Amino acid sequence: MTAQLIDGKSVALSIREEIATEIAQIQNDQPDFKPTLAIIQVGKREDSNTYVRMKRKAAVEANIDAQFIHFDNGDTVTEQEILEKIDALNADPQVHGIIVQLPLPKNLDEDKITSAVLATKDVDGFGPFNIGELNKRNGHPHFLPCTPKGIIELLSRYNVELKGANSVVIGRSDIVGGPVAELLKSGNSTVTVLHSYSKDIPKYLKDADIVIVAIGKPGFVRGEWFEGNNKECVVIDVGTNYIEDKTRKSGMRCVGDVEFDEVKKHVKLITHVPGGVGPMTVAMLMQNTLVAAKKTLHQDGPIFSILPLNLETPVPSDYEISRKQKPKEITQIASEAGLLPSEFEPYGSTKGKIKLDILNRLQDKTNGKYILVTGITPTPLGEGKSTTTVGLAQALGAHLNKKVYANVRQPSMGPTFGIKGGAAGGGYSQVIPMDEFNLHVTGDIHAISMANNLLAAAIDTRMFHESTQKDAPLYRRLVPTAKDGSRKFTKSMLRRLEKLGINKTDPNELTEEEISKFARLNIDPETITWRRVVDCNDRFLRGITIGEAPTERGFTRKTGFDISVASECMAILALCNSLEDMRERLGKIVVGANKETGEPVTCEDIGCAGAMTALLKDAIKPNVMQTLEGTPVLVHAGPFANISIGASSVLADKIALKLTGTTADASKELQEKNAGYVITEAGFDFTMGGERFINIKCRSSGLVPDVIIIVATVRALKVHGGGPEVKAGAPLPKEYTVENLDLLRKGCANLVKHIENAKQYNLPVVVAINKMSSDTDKEHDIIREESLKAGASEAIVSNHWEEGGKGAVDLAQGVIRVAHNESNSDFKFLYETDTGLSIEDKITKIAQSMYGAKDVEFLPEAQKKIELYKKQGFSNLPICIAKTQYSLSHDASLKGVPTGFTFPIRDIRIASGANYLYALAAEIQTIPGLPTHCGFMNIEVNDDGEIEGMF
């Protein structure tokens, strides 16, 4: 009998072709699917070079991308360098498998380096996890070792039955002998493991069905050992040995552990060396890489590990609910949400920041669905926009298994300690931990305050020095000579010179006239618009006099404070698209005008923009937190909703939209199936927050919402229907706790106006009816009826406050329907900025179309500012109108849908860095005051260091 040759080379080729075909099929639906194998080689060993070439060639044939990382300085490379590279590859989602070519130079710890490869990328199958799981009963390794796996595959392809077979494994190494014995046993073979010290090896071969030899000794297994074996034995030779052969050019020949020519006379099947197991090892490496890549595809399993809610009735206070829920580690939230470790900076265990370079990695992704949450005109009873934002995100992520982010503003501590309370949502739909959310988060508002006040100090200081020094000494101090005798302009100074038309870069070359023009900003104190800020409702800072100390030599000036979140720095943080964009915007801030020319004086002129950027370089990174049910939340920026845009940041939205997006080249069906959702909120009602969101924020970002949600409650609509006055903390009149259909239907006019306003942008609208326990079905029916009549696509009751995400599932399903079935392709702005519309025209358009005003009155101060901004070239900027949130009009007492009123504009200010003008209506304040009974009065810290009393 002469054995049939087991052709490992041919089988390996077939496997590579099968792999290439499967990859191509997957790529039909997911074009960006590209299995990638990283091969690390250290040193210049010729045998390693050969093996690496084989693997790279096989990868090409299998349609696998092979990244080759070669540390050719094997004697000098450090373990740390290699480990850092492995860490980077572990963190790279585009790399699916990693192998370290062995052996490594003796100066390196081979076990330490190979063990550093993630188990989920250990496609060699030799890492401690995979080997440990293979040897454990009922273990689940991610990958089988390539050579043992290749042996079993060869046996399978040649129809060798394992079940019941007597298998002999000669060799007990951790690389082949041990693992292949485990695989044979798992195939229900009876396995005997022998080694070089085993006695009477031929005896075991007489009754063997399968013999696998991996002992590392050329010709160790003799042909006569199989004499008398009548079982049509199969021999797999794993040996790779080089012996002297003078007939070969190299002088060496590769042979196995089996005396091939003699053994083949006595067995049925046999492998040859080379061409047997070797090619199969490489083929299995490719197969494992494909397996690793397929595991990264979207699966039907849960995206997020969900935190269960222990719902209680009656619903406890917000801080009690928050405190009872143990958050997931923020690194787990980040990982589940699609962030790489290299893109995430933890701030403790419950918060962290996202690095902006994530946008480079995700730049080829499509955007997820963009959902804007707004409300009806607010009342003291509240409508629950933040609660709805969080509840909807919980419903999508925790109950419908969708990729989702809730994007919310960071709350100011002014309202938190005043009357409004926190902004984390409420009931069972909250951002947690709510105390950390409502207080410092990661310190972004403090950074804003510092940057703002640095510029304020710089303005007054510059005016002081200009008033007390002549041109020459002023210039010498502005552009000093260094110790080495050199003298140079800063970046801001060079920009100022360019603005002045001075084409010089050597400070010593300026003429006296140029020195005067450069050094003197000549700021007119009456035109200064930049005020100091504090994140506190301190009404006594609304008007102050500065410079009272004798050291200021009588240089006094009347000014005042704004609340920190009203700072233009905060608006810039919310609207910028990158760190570079933020730097440019900060430089463009106009702080006043030149006394003589009337030209605007900017932050760049003062030389402060670089330092302000340094103060905000971490604040620009969005913060990551989580909901009560463990879905991700981005908390970023907090521009005041009365006098600024009242929305979270453009950068947070852009990052979240990419993270919830899909591959641009994927089929439309797959894009629709895998699209995620970004739920973001605009402050107050649609007519304020939504209007600014679209006309200012969307202009900056280039994004357009897919759906607008307008949140309404029965109780709040009754206020707009003419119900009795309500006050925070006072018992509710019975009209709000019992069914009153007439009062409700009248109040629905306010909701209808907001729907009509939203429809002016040609965007689909969903009304979220935020359920209260006193509501009736008939009341909900009226809201639904009026909403659909006004043009809303859906009007859905949601009970997320009492039930968390489960209570918002119907709302989530409605949002999904509208987002996928209706289009935003006909979107339009309320007004254009590049068609020559005047400042007055744009303000009038907003007041008449959004608020229902008949006319707009521009008071003298506003007229004066309009003329100034026209002269300075700012007429084309969009408009933000600062007004009361409690009415569509400027008068907080006018509920419902007032009409026929004259809308007064008392002042207009510029936010040139944020790229808008803001008009102040009536008596709107830029820093709130505290009530008699303040929120801070209820707050305490218990003996365990937990904050209590926050609401």
Side-chain angles (χ1 to χ4, degrees):
M1 178 177 69
T2 300
Q4 178 188 351
L5 186 67
I6 295 177
D7 189 352
K9 189 174 182 181
S10 175
V11 173
L13 175 61
S14 297
I15 291 171
R16 293 196 299 273
E17 290 172 348
E18 291 165 10
I19 292 170
T21 300
E22 184 174 357
I23 291 171
Q25 289 172 345
I26 296 172
Q27 287 173 337
N28 286 335
D29 283 330
Q30 304 207 47
D32 70 336
F33 179 72
K34 188 63 179 176
T36 300
L37 171 67
I39 304 170
I40 298 174
Q41 181 185 351
V42 183
K44 301 176 181 178
R45 282 178 58 122
E46 190 54 42
D47 55 347
S48 291
N49 292 341
T50 301
Y51 294 138
V52 167
R53 278 196 301 271
M54 289 169 52
K55 291 167 184 174
R56 294 174 72 182
K57 182 175 181 290
V60 171
E61 293 173 352
N63 195 18
I64 287 173
D65 184 22
Q67 295 184 8
F68 180 45
I69 299 98
H70 190 196
F71 296 92
D72 57 3
N73 53 334
D75 295 332
T76 58
V77 67
T78 65
E79 280 182 8
Q80 188 60 33
E81 289 178 84
I82 300 171
L83 291 172
E84 285 176 0
K85 186 59 184 178
I86 291 174
D87 286 343
L89 294 170
N90 283 338
D92 187 348
Q94 305 305 317
V95 173
H96 305 106
I98 304 169
I99 61 167
V100 179
Q101 182 63 45
L102 302 179
L104 293 173
K106 293 181 180 179
N107 60 309
L108 300 173
D109 187 332
E110 193 170 280
D111 182 63
K112 183 178 181 181
I113 289 172
T114 55
S115 296
V117 176
L118 274 180
T120 52
K121 297 192 178 188
D122 171 32
V123 287
D124 244 349
F126 288 141
F129 175 86
N130 288 316
I131 285 294
E133 288 295 301
L134 176 63
N135 286 280
K136 187 171 74 175
R137 186 177 181 183
N138 299 320
H140 298 282
H142 294 295
F143 308 103
L144 298 176
C146 295
T147 299
K149 182 181 180 182
I151 293 168
I152 301 301
E153 185 68 21
L154 270 181
L155 294 172
S156 172
R157 299 254 174 168
Y158 277 83
N159 300 314
V160 177
E161 180 69 45
L162 299 186
K163 185 178 181 180
N166 287 325
S167 298
V168 176
V169 178
I170 304 176
R172 55 183 176 178
S173 72
D174 292 336
I175 295 175
V176 179
V180 82
E182 293 299 323
L183 293 178
L184 288 166
K185 283 192 285 185
S186 68
N188 296 311
S189 176
T190 301
V191 181
T192 302
V193 178
L194 306 175
H195 48 83
S196 58
Y197 293 100
S198 298
K199 296 179 179 179
D200 199 11
I201 292 177
K203 178 182 71 174
Y204 294 95
L205 302 188
K206 301 294 184 186
D207 196 39
D209 297 294
I210 301 168
V211 177
I212 296 171
V213 187
I215 202 163
K217 294 183 178 182
F220 179 80
V221 174
R222 304 284 183 177
E224 62 263 25
W225 292 1
F226 291 92
E227 291 178 359
N229 183 310
N230 299 314
K231 293 201 167 188
E232 297 187 330
C233 185
V234 178
V235 176
I236 305 293
D237 188 352
V238 188
T240 304
N241 309 288
Y242 288 90
I243 62 174
E244 186 177 351
D245 186 344
K246 293 181 179 178
T247 66
R248 299 291 180 94
K249 184 178 180 180
S250 65
M252 303 293 288
R253 178 164 57 94
C254 181
V255 298
D257 292 346
V258 172
E259 193 179 45
F260 178 78
D261 290 333
E262 294 302 318
V263 171
K264 72 178 183 179
K265 298 175 182 177
H266 303 284
V267 299
K268 179 183 179 183
L269 294 168
I270 190 170
T271 59
H272 189 261
V273 177
V277 173
M280 290 298 295
T281 299
V282 178
M284 294 301 100
L285 179 63
M286 301 304 122
Q287 195 175 82
N288 280 351
T289 302
L290 174 58
V291 169
K294 286 165 66 176
K295 287 180 180 180
T296 66
L297 295 173
H298 178 72
Q299 302 296 322
D300 293 330
I303 296 171
F304 307 110
S305 57
I306 305 307
L307 297 176
L309 296 178
N310 180 24
L311 302 177
E312 297 180 45
T313 305
V315 176
S317 67
D318 291 351
Y319 78 84
E320 288 176 310
I321 292 172
S322 174
R323 197 168 65 192
K324 288 177 182 177
Q325 186 70 294
K326 178 175 173 53
K328 292 187 287 190
E329 286 291 319
I330 198 62
T331 49
Q332 181 183 351
I333 291 285
S335 176
E336 291 174 352
L339 304 175
L340 305 183
S342 60
E343 296 165 342
F344 185 64
E345 298 173 345
Y347 277 57
S349 62
T350 58
K351 312 173 277 202
K353 280 188 170 291
I354 302 177
K355 296 179 182 178
L356 300 190
D357 56 11
I358 188 175
L359 287 170
N360 297 328
R361 174 171 69 88
L362 302 175
Q363 61 183 338
D364 294 329
K365 294 284 187 181
T366 63
N367 286 338
K369 297 296 184 181
Y370 197 25
I371 314 300
L372 172 61
V373 178
T374 66
I376 61 172
T377 303
T379 71
L381 293 172
E383 293 67 54
K385 286 194 313 301
S386 298
T387 309
T388 301
T389 298
V390 176
L392 177 58
Q394 291 178 170
L396 287 163
H399 297 269
L400 298 180
N401 199 33
K402 301 292 185 181
K403 293 181 290 185
V404 67
Y405 272 91
N407 284 10
V408 298
R409 288 178 293 158
Q410 179 180 347
S412 165
M413 285 187 284
T416 296
F417 290 131
I419 195 170
K420 180 181 182 293
Y428 289 102
S429 294
Q430 292 186 53
V431 182
I432 59 171
M434 66 94 76
D435 52 351
E436 294 185 33
F437 173 85
N438 284 315
L439 297 181
H440 306 280
V441 190
T442 56
D444 294 349
I445 292 180
H446 303 308
I448 289 290
S449 301
M450 187 62 218
N452 181 100
N453 293 342
L454 175 63
L455 179 55
I459 293 167
D460 289 308
T461 299
R462 182 62 173 266
M463 292 169 66
F464 172 79
H465 287 309
E466 286 188 27
S467 69
T468 57
Q469 299 179 64
K470 293 183 179 180
D471 289 352
L474 177 64
Y475 182 62
R476 282 199 305 271
R477 291 183 175 95
L478 281 172
V479 194
T481 301
K483 291 181 179 179
D484 62 0
S486 63
R487 195 180 186 201
K488 63 181 181 179
F489 293 118
T490 65
K491 180 179 178 179
S492 284
M493 290 175 179
L494 290 170
R495 291 188 176 191
R496 173 157 173 77
L497 287 167
E498 183 181 355
K499 174 181 173 181
L500 294 171
I502 301 173
N503 188 26
K504 295 178 181 177
T505 57
D506 185 347
N508 298 313
E509 291 183 357
L510 268 62
T511 65
E512 289 186 4
E513 181 183 356
E514 289 170 339
I515 286 172
S516 182
K517 282 177 67 177
F518 169 81
R520 296 205 174 274
L521 303 180
N522 284 331
I523 302 172
D524 181 354
E526 297 299 318
T527 66
I528 294 175
T529 55
W530 198 258
R531 293 151 65 93
R532 289 162 174 81
V533 297
V534 62
D535 195 31
C536 180
N537 290 6
D538 192 346
R539 64 187 303 139
F540 291 96
L541 294 178
R542 289 171 177 168
I544 63 169
T545 302
I546 60 173
E548 294 286 359
T551 52
E552 311 322 310
R553 305 182 190 179
F555 182 77
T556 61
R557 182 170 70 84
K558 288 188 179 297
T559 183
F561 273 72
D562 292 335
I563 195 163
S564 294
V565 290
S567 168
E568 186 179 348
C569 293
M570 179 62 85
I572 288 171
L573 184 73
L575 292 171
C576 68
N577 290 276
S578 65
L579 184 64
E580 295 78 12
D581 185 27
M582 182 174 73
R583 168 63 179 80
E584 293 302 309
R585 286 171 176 267
L586 290 170
K588 290 177 182 177
I589 291 171
V590 172
V591 300
N594 184 287
K595 285 181 188 176
E596 298 168 358
T597 65
E599 292 181 352
V601 177
T602 67
C603 175
E604 199 76 82
D605 292 326
I606 292 171
C608 210
M612 293 168 72
T613 305
L615 287 168
L616 298 175
K617 73 176 182 67
D618 289 321
I620 197 175
K621 302 170 188 173
N623 304 295
V624 183
M625 295 187 75
Q626 63 191 287
T627 67
L628 274 168
E629 296 189 60
T631 60
V633 179
L634 293 191
V635 184
H636 200 218
F640 218 42
N642 290 77
I643 59 177
S644 188
I645 63 167
S648 64
S649 76
V650 165
L651 281 167
D653 289 356
K654 284 189 169 182
I655 289 170
L657 284 166
K658 291 298 183 185
L659 285 164
T660 55
T662 59
T663 305
D665 294 334
S667 66
K668 186 174 181 181
E669 180 183 358
L670 203 64
Q671 285 190 28
E672 290 293 303
K673 176 185 175 184
N674 292 341
Y677 301 83
V678 176
I679 319 298
T680 193
E681 181 187 344
F684 298 135
D685 58 13
F686 175 83
T687 298
M688 286 180 68
E691 182 271 316
R692 297 168 189 174
F693 185 99
I694 293 172
N695 288 309
I696 297 176
K697 183 177 177 181
C698 289
R699 271 194 169 93
S700 178
S701 68
L703 303 170
V704 178
D706 292 285
V707 179
I708 292 172
I709 295 176
I710 298 178
V711 181
T713 63
V714 169
R715 297 189 314 189
L717 288 171
K718 286 178 179 178
V719 173
H720 287 295
E725 183 181 3
V726 292
K727 294 182 179 178
L732 283 177
K734 64 179 178 57
E735 286 84 352
Y736 301 107
T737 57
V738 300
E739 185 175 274
N740 190 324
L741 304 184
D742 291 337
L743 193 63
L744 174 62
R745 195 176 288 276
K746 270 193 203 175
C748 280
N750 184 271
L751 171 59
V752 167
K753 172 62 175 169
H754 286 292
I755 295 171
E756 291 172 348
N757 282 354
K759 296 298 287 182
Q760 291 188 54
Y761 300 88
N762 291 337
L763 295 173
V765 175
V766 172
V767 172
I769 305 169
N770 189 6
K771 182 180 179 182
M772 304 288 173
S773 56
S774 59
D775 295 356
T776 68
D777 291 343
K778 288 182 179 179
E779 289 175 326
H780 292 159
D781 289 342
I782 284 176
I783 297 175
R784 187 179 295 107
E785 176 190 338
E786 294 293 336
S787 298
L788 298 178
K789 194 192 307 180
S793 301
E794 303 252 10
I796 303 169
V797 177
S798 185
N799 193 22
H800 42 274
W801 184 77
E802 286 186 326
E803 298 180 347
K806 181 179 74 171
V809 166
D810 288 345
L811 175 62
Q813 290 172 333
V815 168
I816 291 171
R817 284 193 298 272
V818 174
H820 289 272
N821 296 330
E822 299 192 34
S823 172
N824 63 0
S825 59
D826 292 330
F827 165 78
K828 64 176 183 178
F829 291 111
L830 184 67
Y831 55 84
E832 295 302 326
T833 57
D834 55 1
T835 56
L837 272 183
S838 68
I839 295 171
E840 297 96 326
D841 288 342
K842 286 178 283 193
I843 292 173
T844 300
K845 179 67 173 176
I846 295 170
Q848 292 180 339
S849 299
M850 294 286 104
Y851 309 156
K854 180 181 179 183
D855 296 304
V856 176
E857 178 186 12
F858 295 93
L859 300 179
E861 181 64 21
Q863 293 177 14
K864 175 183 170 185
K865 292 287 186 64
I866 287 173
E867 290 307 310
L868 173 64
Y869 297 141
K870 283 181 180 177
K871 180 181 176 183
Q872 292 178 337
F874 296 117
S875 294
N876 64 336
L877 295 181
I879 305 293
C880 174
I881 297 180
K883 75 175 193 70
T884 178
Q885 70 270 31
Y886 292 118
S887 172
L888 285 165
S889 74
H890 61 285
D891 183 348
S893 66
L894 298 178
K895 304 300 181 187
V897 186
T899 57
F901 57 90
T902 298
F903 193 77
I905 300 295
R906 66 177 173 86
D907 193 9
I908 296 178
R909 298 179 184 172
I910 189 167
S912 51
N915 211 41
Y916 63 78
L917 298 172
Y918 63 104
L920 278 65
E923 298 303 317
I924 191 71
Q925 297 293 336
T926 53
I927 184 167
L930 291 170
T932 305
H933 183 86
C934 303
F936 65 74
M937 295 176 179
N938 304 314
I939 296 173
E940 290 289 349
V941 178
N942 66 24
D943 292 342
D944 295 324
E946 297 170 329
I947 297 173
E948 296 181 339
M950 197 170 280
F951 64 101

mmCIF file with all atom_site columns, all heavy atoms in Angstrom, residues 419-432:
data_model
loop_
_atom_site.group_PDB
_atom_site.id
_atom_site.type_symbol
_atom_site.label_atom_id
_atom_site.label_alt_id
_atom_site.label_comp_id
_atom_site.label_asym_id
_atom_site.label_entity_id
_atom_site.label_seq_id
_atom_site.pdbx_PDB_ins_code
_atom_site.Cartn_x
_atom_site.Cartn_y
_atom_site.Cartn_z
_atom_site.occupancy
_atom_site.B_iso_or_equiv
_atom_site.pdbx_formal_charge
_atom_site.auth_seq_id
_atom_site.auth_comp_id
_atom_site.auth_asym_id
_atom_site.auth_atom_id
_atom_site.pdbx_PDB_model_num
ATOM 1  N N   . ILE A 1 419 ? -33.798 79.479 41.308 1.00 0.00 ? 419 ILE A N   1
ATOM 2  C CA  . ILE A 1 419 ? -35.172 78.985 41.398 1.00 0.00 ? 419 ILE A CA  1
ATOM 3  C C   . ILE A 1 419 ? -35.455 77.842 40.438 1.00 0.00 ? 419 ILE A C   1
ATOM 4  O O   . ILE A 1 419 ? -36.330 77.024 40.669 1.00 0.00 ? 419 ILE A O   1
ATOM 5  C CB  . ILE A 1 419 ? -36.173 80.152 41.151 1.00 0.00 ? 419 ILE A CB  1
ATOM 6  C CG1 . ILE A 1 419 ? -37.577 79.738 41.600 1.00 0.00 ? 419 ILE A CG1 1
ATOM 7  C CG2 . ILE A 1 419 ? -36.139 80.600 39.694 1.00 0.00 ? 419 ILE A CG2 1
ATOM 8  C CD1 . ILE A 1 419 ? -38.551 80.880 41.620 1.00 0.00 ? 419 ILE A CD1 1
ATOM 9  N N   . LYS A 1 420 ? -34.717 77.758 39.347 1.00 0.00 ? 420 LYS A N   1
ATOM 10 C CA  . LYS A 1 420 ? -35.024 76.762 38.323 1.00 0.00 ? 420 LYS A CA  1
ATOM 11 C C   . LYS A 1 420 ? -34.639 75.350 38.758 1.00 0.00 ? 420 LYS A C   1
ATOM 12 O O   . LYS A 1 420 ? -35.287 74.376 38.427 1.00 0.00 ? 420 LYS A O   1
ATOM 13 C CB  . LYS A 1 420 ? -34.294 77.103 37.018 1.00 0.00 ? 420 LYS A CB  1
ATOM 14 C CG  . LYS A 1 420 ? -34.551 76.109 35.891 1.00 0.00 ? 420 LYS A CG  1
ATOM 15 C CD  . LYS A 1 420 ? -33.782 76.514 34.647 1.00 0.00 ? 420 LYS A CD  1
ATOM 16 C CE  . LYS A 1 420 ? -34.064 75.564 33.486 1.00 0.00 ? 420 LYS A CE  1
ATOM 17 N NZ  . LYS A 1 420 ? -33.534 74.228 33.718 1.00 0.00 ? 420 LYS A NZ  1
ATOM 18 N N   . GLY A 1 421 ? -33.551 75.250 39.517 1.00 0.00 ? 421 GLY A N   1
ATOM 19 C CA  . GLY A 1 421 ? -33.046 73.935 39.865 1.00 0.00 ? 421 GLY A CA  1
ATOM 20 C C   . GLY A 1 421 ? -32.158 73.388 38.768 1.00 0.00 ? 421 GLY A C   1
ATOM 21 O O   . GLY A 1 421 ? -31.722 74.112 37.881 1.00 0.00 ? 421 GLY A O   1
ATOM 22 N N   . GLY A 1 422 ? -31.899 72.075 38.821 1.00 0.00 ? 422 GLY A N   1
ATOM 23 C CA  . GLY A 1 422 ? -30.985 71.459 37.872 1.00 0.00 ? 422 GLY A CA  1
ATOM 24 C C   . GLY A 1 422 ? -31.610 71.258 36.511 1.00 0.00 ? 422 GLY A C   1
ATOM 25 O O   . GLY A 1 422 ? -32.776 71.565 36.281 1.00 0.00 ? 422 GLY A O   1
ATOM 26 N N   . ALA A 1 423 ? -30.807 70.725 35.614 1.00 0.00 ? 423 ALA A N   1
ATOM 27 C CA  . ALA A 1 423 ? -31.257 70.543 34.229 1.00 0.00 ? 423 ALA A CA  1
ATOM 28 C C   . ALA A 1 423 ? -30.939 69.148 33.728 1.00 0.00 ? 423 ALA A C   1
ATOM 29 O O   . ALA A 1 423 ? -30.705 68.941 32.545 1.00 0.00 ? 423 ALA A O   1
ATOM 30 C CB  . ALA A 1 423 ? -30.601 71.595 33.343 1.00 0.00 ? 423 ALA A CB  1
ATOM 31 N N   . ALA A 1 424 ? -30.897 68.172 34.632 1.00 0.00 ? 424 ALA A N   1
ATOM 32 C CA  . ALA A 1 424 ? -30.509 66.809 34.272 1.00 0.00 ? 424 ALA A CA  1
ATOM 33 C C   . ALA A 1 424 ? -31.677 65.979 33.782 1.00 0.00 ? 424 ALA A C   1
ATOM 34 O O   . ALA A 1 424 ? -31.518 64.795 33.516 1.00 0.00 ? 424 ALA A O   1
ATOM 35 C CB  . ALA A 1 424 ? -29.868 66.123 35.483 1.00 0.00 ? 424 ALA A CB  1
ATOM 36 N N   . GLY A 1 425 ? -32.849 66.583 33.609 1.00 0.00 ? 425 GLY A N   1
ATOM 37 C CA  . GLY A 1 425 ? -34.054 65.817 33.356 1.00 0.00 ? 425 GLY A CA  1
ATOM 38 C C   . GLY A 1 425 ? -34.755 65.606 34.693 1.00 0.00 ? 425 GLY A C   1
ATOM 39 O O   . GLY A 1 425 ? -34.555 66.365 35.650 1.00 0.00 ? 425 GLY A O   1
ATOM 40 N N   . GLY A 1 426 ? -35.572 64.569 34.780 1.00 0.00 ? 426 GLY A N   1
ATOM 41 C CA  . GLY A 1 426 ? -36.271 64.338 36.036 1.00 0.00 ? 426 GLY A CA  1
ATOM 42 C C   . GLY A 1 426 ? -36.941 62.987 36.079 1.00 0.00 ? 426 GLY A C   1
ATOM 43 O O   . GLY A 1 426 ? -37.073 62.292 35.067 1.00 0.00 ? 426 GLY A O   1
ATOM 44 N N   . GLY A 1 427 ? -37.346 62.588 37.289 1.00 0.00 ? 427 GLY A N   1
ATOM 45 C CA  . GLY A 1 427 ? -37.975 61.297 37.468 1.00 0.00 ? 427 GLY A CA  1
ATOM 46 C C   . GLY A 1 427 ? -37.039 60.190 37.028 1.00 0.00 ? 427 GLY A C   1
ATOM 47 O O   . GLY A 1 427 ? -35.857 60.185 37.375 1.00 0.00 ? 427 GLY A O   1
ATOM 48 N N   . TYR A 1 428 ? -37.555 59.269 36.214 1.00 0.00 ? 428 TYR A N   1
ATOM 49 C CA  . TYR A 1 428 ? -36.753 58.146 35.741 1.00 0.00 ? 428 TYR A CA  1
ATOM 50 C C   . TYR A 1 428 ? -36.139 58.386 34.360 1.00 0.00 ? 428 TYR A C   1
ATOM 51 O O   . TYR A 1 428 ? -35.788 57.442 33.654 1.00 0.00 ? 428 TYR A O   1
ATOM 52 C CB  . TYR A 1 428 ? -37.594 56.870 35.756 1.00 0.00 ? 428 TYR A CB  1
ATOM 53 C CG  . TYR A 1 428 ? -37.856 56.396 37.173 1.00 0.00 ? 428 TYR A CG  1
ATOM 54 C CD1 . TYR A 1 428 ? -39.075 56.619 37.791 1.00 0.00 ? 428 TYR A CD1 1
ATOM 55 C CD2 . TYR A 1 428 ? -36.848 55.763 37.902 1.00 0.00 ? 428 TYR A CD2 1
ATOM 56 C CE1 . TYR A 1 428 ? -39.309 56.206 39.099 1.00 0.00 ? 428 TYR A CE1 1
ATOM 57 C CE2 . TYR A 1 428 ? -37.063 55.349 39.208 1.00 0.00 ? 428 TYR A CE2 1
ATOM 58 C CZ  . TYR A 1 428 ? -38.294 55.573 39.807 1.00 0.00 ? 428 TYR A CZ  1
ATOM 59 O OH  . TYR A 1 428 ? -38.504 55.173 41.102 1.00 0.00 ? 428 TYR A OH  1
ATOM 60 N N   . SER A 1 429 ? -36.018 59.655 34.019 1.00 0.00 ? 429 SER A N   1
ATOM 61 C CA  . SER A 1 429 ? -35.332 60.033 32.775 1.00 0.00 ? 429 SER A CA  1
ATOM 62 C C   . SER A 1 429 ? -34.364 61.156 33.102 1.00 0.00 ? 429 SER A C   1
ATOM 63 O O   . SER A 1 429 ? -34.692 62.334 32.985 1.00 0.00 ? 429 SER A O   1
ATOM 64 C CB  . SER A 1 429 ? -36.340 60.468 31.705 1.00 0.00 ? 429 SER A CB  1
ATOM 65 O OG  . SER A 1 429 ? -37.155 59.399 31.302 1.00 0.00 ? 429 SER A OG  1
ATOM 66 N N   . GLN A 1 430 ? -33.167 60.768 33.551 1.00 0.00 ? 430 GLN A N   1
ATOM 67 C CA  . GLN A 1 430 ? -32.174 61.732 34.019 1.00 0.00 ? 430 GLN A CA  1
ATOM 68 C C   . GLN A 1 430 ? -30.790 61.404 33.490 1.00 0.00 ? 430 GLN A C   1
ATOM 69 O O   . GLN A 1 430 ? -30.490 60.271 33.135 1.00 0.00 ? 430 GLN A O   1
ATOM 70 C CB  . GLN A 1 430 ? -32.062 61.691 35.548 1.00 0.00 ? 430 GLN A CB  1
ATOM 71 C CG  . GLN A 1 430 ? -33.217 62.170 36.351 1.00 0.00 ? 430 GLN A CG  1
ATOM 72 C CD  . GLN A 1 430 ? -32.834 62.193 37.832 1.00 0.00 ? 430 GLN A CD  1
ATOM 73 O OE1 . GLN A 1 430 ? -31.826 62.787 38.219 1.00 0.00 ? 430 GLN A OE1 1
ATOM 74 N NE2 . GLN A 1 430 ? -33.623 61.532 38.657 1.00 0.00 ? 430 GLN A NE2 1
ATOM 75 N N   . VAL A 1 431 ? -29.946 62.436 33.492 1.00 0.00 ? 431 VAL A N   1
ATOM 76 C CA  . VAL A 1 431 ? -28.508 62.251 33.352 1.00 0.00 ? 431 VAL A CA  1
ATOM 77 C C   . VAL A 1 431 ? -27.939 62.032 34.749 1.00 0.00 ? 431 VAL A C   1
ATOM 78 O O   . VAL A 1 431 ? -28.314 62.753 35.687 1.00 0.00 ? 431 VAL A O   1
ATOM 79 C CB  . VAL A 1 431 ? -27.849 63.482 32.700 1.00 0.00 ? 431 VAL A CB  1
ATOM 80 C CG1 . VAL A 1 431 ? -26.339 63.242 32.518 1.00 0.00 ? 431 VAL A CG1 1
ATOM 81 C CG2 . VAL A 1 431 ? -28.495 63.808 31.363 1.00 0.00 ? 431 VAL A CG2 1
ATOM 82 N N   . ILE A 1 432 ? -27.077 61.032 34.882 1.00 0.00 ? 432 ILE A N   1
ATOM 83 C CA  . ILE A 1 432 ? -26.506 60.751 36.206 1.00 0.00 ? 432 ILE A CA  1
ATOM 84 C C   . ILE A 1 432 ? -24.984 60.754 36.143 1.00 0.00 ? 432 ILE A C   1
ATOM 85 O O   . ILE A 1 432 ? -24.404 60.546 35.080 1.00 0.00 ? 432 ILE A O   1
ATOM 86 C CB  . ILE A 1 432 ? -27.020 59.399 36.767 1.00 0.00 ? 432 ILE A CB  1
ATOM 87 C CG1 . ILE A 1 432 ? -26.654 58.240 35.811 1.00 0.00 ? 432 ILE A CG1 1
ATOM 88 C CG2 . ILE A 1 432 ? -28.480 59.455 37.058 1.00 0.00 ? 432 ILE A CG2 1
ATOM 89 C CD1 . ILE A 1 432 ? -26.915 56.860 36.367 1.00 0.00 ? 432 ILE A CD1 1
#
